[in-house]
Amino acid sequence: MKTLLRLRLFLLLLVLPGLAQRAAAQSATATGSILDAAGQPLAFATAVLLQLPDSTIANSQTTTEQGGYAFTSIKPGRYCVKALLMSYASARSAAFVVGKEAVTVPALRLAPAATALQEVTVTGTTPILELHADRTVLNVERLNTAGETALEILKKAPGVTLDKDDNIVYRGSTGVNVLIDGKLTYMSGAALSNYLKSLPASAISQIELLPNPPASLDAAGTAGVLNIKLRRSQRPGLSGTYNLGLGQGRYEKSWAGTNLSYNVGKVRLFARLDGGRYNSFNRLTMIRTIRDSLFNQENVWRPLMYAGTYATGADVALTARQSIGLQLRGGLTITDAVRTSNSVTTDAAGNPGGRRQMTNPETSNNNNLALNGYYRFALDSTGRELSADLDYVHYASASNQSFRNLVFAAGSEEGRPAEQLRSAASSETTIRAAKIDYVHPFAGTKWRAETGAKTSWVTSRSAIQFDKLAGSEWLLDALRTNQFQYDEHISAGYLSVNTSYGRLELKAGLRGELTQTSGHSATTGEQVDRRYFQLFPSAFASYKITEQDQVSASVSRRITRPNYQSLNPFLNYSDFYTAQQGNPFLAPSLSQSFVFNYLHKDFQILSLSYLHETNSVNPIVTQNDVTKVSTSTPQNLAQASTLTLSSGGHTDITKWWGVDNQLSGSYTQVATQVENQAVRLASYSWEASSNHTFVLPRSYKLTVSGEYSSPAVQGLYQAKASGSVNLGLKKQIWAERASFSLRVSDVFNTSRFRSTLQYNNVNQTWNNQWESRRLTLAFTCKIGSGKTQARHAAASTEEEVRVGN
């Protein structure tokens, strides 16, 4: 695989100069930005390139979040750019001449329109998946997400799955970094899962998947980056939505929320508040073979969760070129849960050998808070920009559990009390980070450079106390009680350059990160200190063969550091025979990644992805044949590789029937050592998904979707096949200002995690089932005059008609 990757990169480097010389002689590039009257960037505005003198439409596109646009492959001639955005008056640039050199168009400023233009309807429809040279975008607004959470929506993104512990798996690896609106969450593992479970899908606008992110982003995430973009209106004045819903699986659920924006003059304010009550259910069945005995175990988990998330912030334009902003977001989750476990033992002949029963009531709360402040300074009109960000993140959790064990002799219905335990655990993590970035376009050329630096400091403190019942008195269990503290300091710097030659775009970057960590267990006396420096190169190339065909390639080296709790050596029990323990000796995992894409009319004809990881962190189960206890501990695997071939995109069958299809096949292999014995797993697997949207009369919309995953290797687990079929119906009312959504998830109740573990003396089968089949009813209503700003296709028919008016 390494030889194949190097050969592809070598061939790519050979052909790029020739392509560049050919493309440079044919066309040029025009770039610019669209701002509001206060000088703030307008995201998702439409920039239209008009050829003079007859104002023929040469091209059009939607602006980025920074308000920028870039037209490539422009033939020589005279042009101007027209800017359009709902509820704003249009603006047109002065005429300019395109030759062989790049052109920078002065920024266009849009003033609020005198009327809301409520009668104008944009007819273009954004596909569920947008495929770009460096990323794939899932437009969540196109989905019927009634009653779903952010974690559930992530599973709909191509290449994303969840493991048995709800950890996010991307491109076959748990080494993925998750951003919210381009900013690090600084959460992973259970902390990240809990936050995403409390964040409703209705708050999400898009999910971006970046398998090879640029050097300006942190190098964390061996498999890449997922960026969750939340809804936020660009309209002037007050606008937004509120929603409420009810759901029924095995048990009931309810939720409500609001998302508001107030944009006036030089100030933009936003606020989001969501809350819900979720009564849930989970059943885990495990069958374990230990020597000649069979352990048949069933764990039932009944959590009742009260969850709330919030976000608020302000952006202020100090001058025409300077702006500052402040954002606050957080969440609180309170859970009361009861876990019951029943384990039946039989010998080789099938004779019962007794059973154990455990009741485990638990109360827990998790809260997080993140504060971000930023400063932006556009140094001039050529695109030079200086920016700075400050982050403060605090995460805390606490839980209290009781472990009530009963032992039953074979054939007896009367149990005797076994070991009775109780525990109190707490964890607190604080992150402080600061970064500065500078963008410098070189005047008169197509070259652009970016550079910056970042520093972060993390402190994590955890404590757990176990008590054991002795007679009628609770005594401290010193062997299970522990305290752990972890400190991490990362200093980073990067430099990247990019340029274009007609239809060819090139970008390369180099990031360096110095990491210093210290982990200390007060009870055991274990002390682990690490200090290492790593370089992370990345390169990107994109070539537009024709107006409808484009190829791109990217390569990068990345890192995943162990999450803070996986380093914690605490021992936790989920039942009498099953435990989890952290590993303070975990090393960071490193990866090499290559991606090649071929797009035709925004349809991904071919995507080839290769990911090779060393020291990837995965849970390893070890088994004590004497005590019969299985302990799951995160450990570094020697190496893991995944090669994936995929294809998919959007197709309009008719005007009223649109289809989004995805099909991918992968080959995964894992090789490592477990307890000094070699373990090697390999498998071919495939995944498919299909989403059909039917536009019906009387403002109804019907969605039918399904997904299937074949058996596959996940770490040392051999996961079995799973799939689901979903139905949804949406009705728009009040001139499309409100809607009702009805959804049935997993109609046939087939979505579950099933797997086997077979290596050394471990032989286990898992079957994890949750409330995947649910009926939900949701109501959503828009607030403010006119329609809330939504993203549509840049070249829709209605927009082109408006250009000529």
Side-chain angles (χ1 to χ4, degrees), residues 89-340:
S90 63
R92 182 185 289 222
S93 73
F96 55 87
V97 177
V98 173
K100 294 183 179 180
E101 300 297 327
V103 176
T104 299
V105 181
L108 290 171
R109 293 176 180 259
L110 303 186
T115 60
L117 297 178
Q118 297 183 33
E119 71 280 2
V120 177
T121 301
V122 180
T123 59
T125 300
T126 305
I128 291 178
L129 284 174
E130 289 185 72
L131 306 165
H132 302 279
D134 62 340
R135 69 194 63 194
T136 299
V137 179
L138 174 67
N139 289 301
V140 179
E141 293 171 329
R142 276 287 320 279
L143 302 173
N144 186 346
T145 61
E148 294 192 303
T149 68
L151 190 65
E152 292 171 318
I153 286 298
L154 279 176
K155 293 190 297 182
K156 301 182 184 298
V160 179
T161 58
L162 301 179
D163 67 11
K164 67 179 183 64
D165 299 315
D166 281 343
N167 294 312
I168 300 169
V169 179
Y170 179 43
R171 301 172 68 200
S173 170
T174 55
V176 57
N177 210 14
V178 177
L179 313 181
I180 302 288
D181 285 334
K183 303 182 186 302
L184 280 170
T185 60
Y186 294 101
M187 291 185 288
S188 57
L192 178 60
S193 296
N194 288 334
Y195 175 74
L196 294 178
K197 287 177 183 177
S198 65
L199 182 67
S202 59
I204 301 175
S205 171
Q206 294 178 327
I207 296 174
E208 294 182 329
L209 300 93
L210 293 85
N212 287 324
S216 56
L217 294 179
D218 285 36
T222 49
V225 165
L226 303 180
N227 181 30
I228 299 174
K229 300 172 72 173
L230 303 180
R231 295 175 186 258
R232 188 171 173 189
S233 173
Q234 299 283 348
R235 289 176 51 80
L238 177 66
S239 61
T241 62
Y242 68 86
N243 66 88
L244 51 90
L246 299 172
Q248 181 69 47
R250 182 178 289 253
Y251 302 104
E252 75 287 347
K253 302 107 176 47
S254 59
W255 60 91
T258 185
N259 191 350
L260 301 174
S261 295
Y262 184 67
N263 304 324
V264 56
K266 298 182 177 181
V267 179
R268 294 183 177 182
L269 305 174
F270 75 93
R272 194 195 79 244
L273 181 64
D274 297 283
R277 178 185 183 274
Y278 306 93
N279 193 357
S280 303
F281 170 85
N282 185 286
R283 176 187 285 116
L284 172 63
T285 303
M286 290 187 293
I287 300 176
R288 298 186 293 172
T289 302
I290 303 179
R291 292 183 180 175
D292 58 353
S293 298
L294 187 69
F295 287 73
N296 195 325
Q297 186 173 326
E298 182 182 76
N299 292 356
V300 175
W301 185 47
R302 278 285 317 278
L304 175 59
M305 182 176 71
Y306 298 87
T309 61
Y310 60 89
T312 185
D315 301 307
V316 181
L318 301 176
T319 67
R321 293 183 178 176
Q322 298 184 74
S323 62
I324 60 172
L326 188 67
Q327 295 185 19
L328 173 69
R329 62 175 170 82
L332 173 65
T333 302
I334 299 174
T335 305
D336 287 318
V338 175
R339 180 185 285 109
T340 58

Side-chain angles (χ1 to χ4, degrees), residues 557-572:
R557 182 175 187 265
R558 300 185 63 77
I559 188 173
T560 294
R561 300 173 181 87
N563 68 63
Y564 311 126
Q565 290 306 310
S566 67
L567 295 166
N568 188 336
F570 292 179
L571 189 65
N572 287 297

Side-chain angles (χ1 to χ4, degrees), residues 12-76:
L12 183 64
L13 292 174
L14 285 179
V15 302
L16 287 182
L19 294 174
Q21 293 175 2
R22 177 184 173 188
Q26 296 175 343
S27 55
T29 302
T31 59
S33 60
I34 299 177
L35 313 175
D36 64 10
Q40 291 290 308
L42 289 174
F44 309 140
T46 300
V48 185
L49 181 66
L50 302 176
Q51 188 168 12
L52 302 176
D54 55 356
S55 294
T56 303
I57 299 174
N59 203 344
S60 67
Q61 62 180 243
T62 303
T63 58
T64 65
E65 285 194 348
Q66 291 73 40
Y69 62 85
F71 294 111
T72 59
S73 306
I74 307 175
K75 297 178 181 179

Side-chain angles (χ1 to χ4, degrees), residues 356-614:
R356 289 181 179 268
Q357 181 179 300
M358 185 192 74
T359 304
N360 173 211
E362 176 186 10
T363 59
S364 64
N365 65 79
N366 300 270
N367 66 80
N368 63 86
L369 178 147
L371 183 64
N372 169 261
Y374 76 86
Y375 170 75
R376 302 285 186 271
F377 182 20
L379 301 176
D380 53 35
S381 60
T382 66
R384 289 198 304 138
E385 182 180 277
L386 182 68
S387 61
D389 283 81
L390 293 173
D391 288 290
Y392 174 85
V393 180
H394 183 77
Y395 176 82
S397 65
S399 67
N400 292 279
Q401 299 187 66
S402 296
F403 303 87
R404 304 164 187 169
N405 295 292
L406 292 175
V407 178
F408 295 81
S412 174
E413 293 300 323
E414 184 175 348
R416 60 178 177 82
E419 190 175 42
Q420 308 295 305
L421 301 171
R422 69 182 184 187
S423 69
S426 63
S427 177
E428 195 168 351
T429 301
T430 304
I431 302 106
R432 311 153 191 90
K435 69 171 185 173
I436 186 169
D437 299 277
Y438 173 65
V439 179
H440 185 92
F442 292 92
T445 73
K446 301 177 183 179
W447 289 87
R448 169 188 168 107
E450 298 178 53
T451 188
K454 179 181 177 180
T455 183
S456 65
W457 177 33
V458 177
T459 58
S460 181
R461 303 290 182 263
S462 301
I464 189 169
Q465 177 177 313
F466 270 92
D467 297 324
K468 182 188 298 186
L469 185 63
S472 60
E473 186 178 359
W474 288 99
L475 301 178
L476 178 68
D477 187 341
L479 294 178
R480 294 187 175 98
T481 298
N482 204 343
Q483 293 182 2
F484 181 72
Q485 62 182 41
Y486 177 78
D487 294 276
E488 177 185 270
H489 184 215
I490 301 175
S491 300
Y494 75 91
L495 173 66
S496 70
V497 293
N498 65 281
T499 186
S500 63
Y501 297 92
R503 297 181 177 183
L504 177 67
E505 296 182 14
L506 299 172
K507 185 173 184 176
L510 182 64
R511 187 180 185 91
E513 294 187 352
L514 173 64
T515 305
Q516 302 174 78
T517 66
S518 177
H520 176 65
S521 174
T523 305
T524 64
E526 291 177 310
Q527 176 85 29
V528 181
D529 297 321
R530 296 185 185 275
R531 177 185 172 93
Y532 51 91
F533 177 77
Q534 296 281 351
L535 289 174
F536 303 99
S538 59
F540 309 83
S542 176
Y543 181 69
K544 202 166 187 178
I545 303 171
T546 67
E547 289 301 317
Q548 298 179 344
D549 297 273
Q550 179 180 349
V551 293
S552 64
S554 61
V555 63
S556 69
R557 182 175 187 265
R558 300 185 63 77
I559 188 173
T560 294
R561 300 173 181 87
N563 68 63
Y564 311 126
Q565 290 306 310
S566 67
L567 295 166
N568 188 336
F570 292 179
L571 189 65
N572 287 297
Y573 296 89
S574 55
D575 58 69
F576 199 88
Y577 293 114
T578 311
Q580 299 82 36
Q581 186 172 26
N583 180 5
F585 300 100
L586 286 174
S589 59
L590 297 168
S591 72
Q592 293 179 337
S593 172
F594 171 78
V595 176
F596 172 82
N597 290 320
Y598 169 46
L599 308 181
H600 175 71
K601 291 184 178 179
D602 292 328
F603 194 97
Q604 192 177 60
I605 300 296
L606 172 69
S607 178
L608 180 65
S609 167
Y610 175 68
L611 177 66
H612 179 76
E613 292 182 276
T614 56

